[in-house]
Amino acid sequence: MSIAANIEGIQEQIEAACKRAGRDPSAVTLLAVCKQQSPEAVCAAAAAGLRHFGENRVEEAVTKIPQVRQCVAEPIVWHMVGHIQSRKARQVPGLFQVVHAVDRLKLARRLSALMSERDRTLDVLLEINVSGEASKAGFNALGWQEDAETRDSLWRDCETMLALPGLRVLGLMTMAPFVPDMEATRPVFRQLAALRAALARDLHVPLPELSMGMTEDYPVAVEEGATIVRIGRAIFGPRREN
């Protein structure tokens, strides 16, 4: 199937999930993750109407984003969805408008300093490890509802990041475990939505965005309140071999 047809099918699935959950489909952003995809594939997705694209690696974005700009007339919002090494953080403000993977205080402070130098603001989401998997990055939130120590630590970290100049914290992001049955991811997405609501209430801030759900599980994520779904393979097919 073509990229345009793939996008149409995904949008139909999002609409169906929204209908089941009583949500407005316009509240869900389809973010095309184009890691290891060609600039031509990105341009084809943009021609099909997508305006939000995500990259996992700064070094790939450095060359791909300028190439895409040459073939797409409409404005594109670029999202950094992968882990950011501190030594590469300086390149982020010039490439991306949104960062999903703010997974530690050190990175938040580094991005804050870089944006303050430029007198600009960067939209960010805080990566939260809800499942407790050792392989997952992010602020620990395993058992946050029952474990006062975990909750207090997370609340302190969030307060610190909300106060940093140059950053606008829009919400939370998580990665669910990779499991054969996407229904098994529902508790993780439900926990993140509950955590977002609790933080917004206790810290008196709007946190409108929930970035959760990928190719394997995005319908469940939408049912549980995702406002951004990060889809790669279902749009573009398998990644190119390097």
Side-chain angles (χ1 to χ4, degrees):
M1 295 179 69
S2 69
I3 286 175
N6 290 342
I7 291 169
E8 183 178 0
I10 293 166
Q11 289 172 331
E12 289 173 355
Q13 290 289 329
I14 290 173
E15 289 174 5
C18 285
K19 185 175 181 180
R20 291 191 296 270
R23 299 183 63 200
D24 183 349
S26 67
V28 181
T29 296
L30 174 54
L31 171 57
V33 178
C34 50
K35 176 183 178 182
Q36 294 180 359
Q37 299 295 337
S38 68
E40 292 76 17
V42 177
C43 293
L50 295 192
R51 293 293 174 264
H52 292 262
F53 291 86
E55 280 289 347
N56 290 65
R57 297 174 180 170
V58 170
E59 56 268 32
E60 185 173 346
V62 166
T63 57
K64 186 185 298 180
I65 289 177
Q67 292 173 321
V68 171
R69 285 175 180 154
Q70 293 178 2
C71 67
V72 177
E74 298 295 325
I76 282 179
V77 179
W78 286 97
H79 300 242
M80 179 60 183
V81 299
H83 176 76
I84 301 172
Q85 297 174 330
S86 295
R87 63 186 176 87
K88 294 184 178 178
R90 179 167 289 278
Q91 295 174 281
V92 168
L95 295 167
F96 300 97
Q97 291 78 58
V98 187
V99 173
H100 289 232
V102 175
D103 57 3
R104 58 201 189 278
L105 276 174
K106 179 181 178 181
L107 175 62
R109 291 187 172 115
R110 176 69 170 143
L111 291 174
S112 171
L114 290 168
M115 298 311 296
S116 296
E117 287 176 5
R118 294 161 171 77
D119 194 26
R120 290 171 48 204
T121 300
L122 179 68
D123 290 338
V124 302
L125 294 98
L126 309 181
E127 183 171 0
I128 307 294
N129 187 342
V130 178
S131 66
E133 288 182 280
S135 61
K136 295 285 193 298
F139 294 91
N140 176 43
L142 179 64
W144 66 272
Q145 290 175 308
E146 300 83 20
D147 188 332
E149 184 176 348
T150 296
R151 181 186 177 99
D152 290 347
S153 175
L154 182 58
W155 260 238
R156 285 194 302 271
D157 288 344
C158 288
E159 281 187 300
T160 298
M161 289 181 286
L162 284 163
L164 290 174
L167 301 184
R168 179 166 50 230
V169 179
L170 295 183
L172 309 179
M173 176 269 234
T174 200
M175 293 183 64
F178 294 105
V179 291
D181 180 7
M182 68 177 175
E183 274 297 321
T185 63
R186 192 178 296 276
V188 171
F189 298 142
R190 189 167 290 173
Q191 280 288 312
L192 191 73
L195 176 60
R196 187 266 301 263
L199 284 167
R201 181 193 64 235
D202 292 353
L203 303 182
H204 309 290
V205 291
L207 295 171
E209 303 292 353
L210 280 177
S211 172
M212 58 188 195
M214 300 192 296
T215 290
E216 297 80 6
D217 51 27
Y218 71 90
V220 172
V222 170
E223 290 174 3
E224 294 300 329
T227 64
I228 303 171
V229 291
R230 310 181 304 272
I231 311 296
R233 191 177 65 255
I235 293 175
F236 298 108
R239 295 170 181 166
R240 295 183 304 168
E241 293 295 332
N242 288 333

